[in-house]
Every structure is written in structure tokens, then in C-alpha cells.
Amino acid sequence: MMIVMEEEASADGVRPAVGPTDPGLASQFGRRGRTVIDIDGRKIGGDHFATIAGPCTVESRDGLLAVAEVVKYAGAQLLRGGAYKPRTSPYSFQGLGEEGLRLLAEAKQVTGMPIVTELLDVRDLDPLLEVADVIQVGARNMQNYPLLTEVGRSRRPVLIKRGPSATLEELLMAAEYVLKEGSTDVILCERGIRTFEPGYRYTLDLMAVPVLKQRTHLPVIVDPSHAAGRRELVPALSLAAAAAGADGIIVEVHSDPDRAICDGPQQLRAEDFPDYLRQVERVAEIAGKRLAVAA
Ligand code: PEP
Ligand code: MN
């Protein structure tokens, strides 16, 4: 399989700029070059750098609203939070479900921030569409093809996480399932892959960022939180992601991570978030990105 090496638009604006190319819509740069997704004025892709921040899981109204205010005023553009949680053990907390969606709707109303939240099961699509500005398809569902197809049919922007054992080719093909339904707004996310190294939770494959950006016009972001599993690693991975040319980050932040129900050790402390984001944005700027004007 050959790859697209340049991003100039083709003369007719439909075919890839320079052939031969990967087959498929994700690799056809077309007239508009790189895809820039506009979510209520927040831009992801092209020369924009976007920050998606918030708790792993929606746990309580007060906790969600507290962290939402912090990330908003620090300059994050979108709020994340899971109402449906994919847990390794079926006995672990599975998320608040529709009550979590209701709390996300309230946080959106209070802060004005667009919401990124995960869809685990196609049966929950309709209630999720009431609140999600971006539907997250998690690493475990990257190859759930019926789910990708339904999400594509909804035409809502989609964030697809790379499965921990998935190749870049497989990730691009997951995007293809969404795009082929006529959806145009797909964000790809590197969140760590499984390697032989047991010293950390996953290996963050930052090489995926420049390579994916050669192969696709879609925005590519990085999740440093799930890769690291430990908050003290998150700043370094985030700076490195920005330096590698990522179009943004999705990062977990909690107002009281020591008491978090899910993923506590990896969630940044809310009070540390403003300084953290300032540093990441400085590196993004050096990498050539434009920063959003604070809301
Ligand atoms: C998450 O973002 O909360 C999550 C579960 O991520 P992943 O699918 O990458 O494990
Ligand atoms: Mn999490």
C-alpha cells in the first residue's frame, strides 16, 4: 500500500493530490486539503490545536461542574466525560448512563462547552445524540463495525480511538466505516498501544502522529492519560504530542482524583491544569499551530 506524501489539493478537487495513494476517503485530500472540524466555533485540524479535557467518568453533578469550570477558564475548548464506561471487569462501576448524559447536558448549558462522550452500545445512540457534540468511539470498539456505521449515519462528529493492538491501517479503515456513510467529521486519536514493555500502562506511539498526517487529511489528536496510566507522566507525553504535530489532546482532569471512581491515578489535578495547558500550548505554537481564543 502506498501513501500520500503531499497535501496539496488535486486540480479537480476530488481525486487525491498525488497518486498512487491509499484507497479510501480518509486518504483523499481533495479540494479542501486537510479536514478542519468546526464544533460550535471550536476548530480541530489544519493549523488549529484543540484541547478536550474533563473527567474520565461523570461521577457527580458537583464534581463535573467544578472541573468543567476549571478546564474552560484554563482554555480547553471541549469538555469530555463518560456516561457509559467500558470497564475491564463487569463488576466495576459502568457509568451513570442516562443520568450521566443529563449531567453532561447541564455542564454544557452552564459552561457553553461542546461535549465529547463515548458511545458503547448502538442502543444508546438516540439519548447520546441529545447531548454529544462529538461521539467518542473507544479503543475497545474501534473495530465494532456496526457501531461505526450507525455513528457515521448520524453525521455527528466522531472521535475514534486507536485500539491498543490496532495498526494504523486498521485505524484508517475504522474511519472509513464512518466516512462511507457520508459523515465528514472524523478525528483520529492515538492513546497508547500494547508492547512488551511492562513499565507503564501502554506505549504512546507518537510516530503515529506524523505518519497518520501523511496518510490522511483527518485531524489526529493524542490521549496522554490512558497511555500513561499515571498523572506524573501526562505532562511530558502531552508536550511531546504537541511537538509531534498533533492537532490536539484529550486529557483527563478531576477535581479530586484521589477519590475518583475510575482512572484516578492518571487524572490531572484540576488545580494543576491551567499551568499544564499553558505549557502544552506553548509547544503547540512552536510546532506551528494557532491557538483558539479563550471562550
Ligand atoms: C476514555 O477515554 O475514557 C477511555 C475509556 O479511553 P480508551 O477507549 O482509549 O481506553
Ligand atoms: Mn478514563
Side-chain angles (χ1 to χ4, degrees), residues 210-284:
V211 172
L212 281 172
K213 293 186 67 151
Q214 287 179 333
R215 292 183 64 170
T216 177
H217 52 83
L218 299 172
V220 179
I221 69 168
V222 170
D223 175 344
S225 306
H226 289 88
R230 303 203 311 258
R231 92 172 49 82
E232 64 272 23
L233 300 176
V234 169
L237 297 182
S238 308
L239 296 175
D247 296 308
I249 47 171
I250 177 166
V251 60
E252 290 188 344
V253 190
H254 197 284
S255 50
D256 189 1
D258 301 327
R259 297 213 184 123
I261 299 175
C262 182
D263 282 350
Q266 75 194 27
Q267 302 201 56
L268 293 179
R269 297 186 190 283
E271 61 267 28
D272 296 334
F273 185 73
D275 280 348
Y276 155 87
L277 186 57
R278 214 166 297 129
Q279 291 194 33
V280 175
E281 289 189 335
R282 277 174 60 195
V283 175

Side-chain angles (χ1 to χ4, degrees), residues 20 32 50 57 99 103 116 131 144 150 156 175 180 202 224 233:
R32 291 182 308 155
T57 305
E99 169 65 4
L103 295 176
V116 182
V131 64
N144 182 337
E150 286 305 315
R156 195 64 52 89
K180 84 173 197 316
Y202 293 99
L233 300 176

Side-chain angles (χ1 to χ4, degrees), residues 3-22 24-34 213-217:
I3 60 172
V4 176
M5 297 302 291
E6 292 176 31
E7 61 182 275
E8 289 79 30
S10 64
D12 64 7
V14 180
R15 282 178 297 106
V18 260
T21 71
D22 288 330
L25 301 164
S27 302
Q28 294 176 12
F29 281 76
R31 185 184 299 117
R32 291 182 308 155
R34 293 200 179 279
K213 293 186 67 151
Q214 287 179 333
R215 292 183 64 170
T216 177
H217 52 83

Side-chain angles (χ1 to χ4, degrees), residues 56 80 85-86 118 136 138-140 161 191 223 226 252:
C56 172
R80 66 148 288 150
K85 295 306 300 179
E118 178 166 354
Q136 180 174 324
R140 292 161 185 79
K161 300 258 199 112
R191 46 76 77 204
D223 175 344
H226 289 88
E252 290 188 344

Side-chain angles (χ1 to χ4, degrees), residues 137-214:
V137 174
R140 292 161 185 79
N141 267 318
M142 191 204 87
Q143 289 180 307
N144 182 337
Y145 301 123
L147 188 73
L148 292 166
T149 299
E150 286 305 315
V151 162
R153 285 184 184 156
S154 79
R155 305 286 173 97
R156 195 64 52 89
V158 186
L159 188 164
I160 306 177
K161 300 258 199 112
R162 179 184 183 185
S165 304
T167 64
L168 299 185
E169 180 69 23
E170 288 163 341
L171 175 59
L172 288 169
M173 284 299 148
E176 214 58 36
Y177 270 89
V178 176
L179 296 168
K180 84 173 197 316
E181 297 304 323
S183 188
T184 54
D185 294 346
V186 177
I187 304 161
L188 303 178
C189 180
E190 162 60 31
R191 46 76 77 204
I193 55 174
R194 260 193 220 286
T195 68
F196 52 80
E197 176 52 61
Y200 25 81
R201 197 181 194 187
Y202 293 99
T203 298
L204 187 63
D205 177 17
L206 284 179
M207 202 125 68
V209 175
V211 172
L212 281 172
K213 293 186 67 151
Q214 287 179 333

